[in-house]
Amino acid sequence: MEAFIAVTAFYLNPILAIWFFVNLTTIIKKIVKGEDYESKLWIGSLLIAWIVFSFTFVSMSG
């Protein structure tokens, strides 16, 4: 299981990090325009949670 998470994190984290920053810039643009940005927050929360989980899990296991 540890190897699966490590391999998944190795390939997915760069893609998810880009997605996170695109989502973050979208949220910032919506805040500046005064639009509703709350619908984007859960995606950003999930992305950052996965990246933090995978980095801590991989660093603790190896």
Side-chain angles (χ1 to χ4, degrees):
M1 185 68 175
E2 294 171 3
F4 175 74
I5 292 176
V7 169
T8 304
F10 180 77
Y11 288 108
L12 280 183
N13 278 0
I15 297 166
L16 294 179
I18 291 168
W19 188 17
F20 172 76
F21 285 113
V22 168
N23 189 38
L24 182 65
T25 57
T26 303
I27 290 172
I28 292 171
K29 286 179 186 177
K30 287 182 179 262
I31 289 173
V32 168
K33 290 181 180 178
E35 298 174 0
D36 182 33
Y37 60 91
E38 293 179 1
S39 63
K40 298 283 186 180
L41 289 178
W42 70 272
I43 295 171
S45 299
L46 288 177
L47 291 172
I48 197 79
W50 165 256
I51 291 171
V52 168
F53 165 75
S54 64
F55 279 131
T56 56
F57 189 88
V58 170
S59 66
M60 286 179 11
S61 66

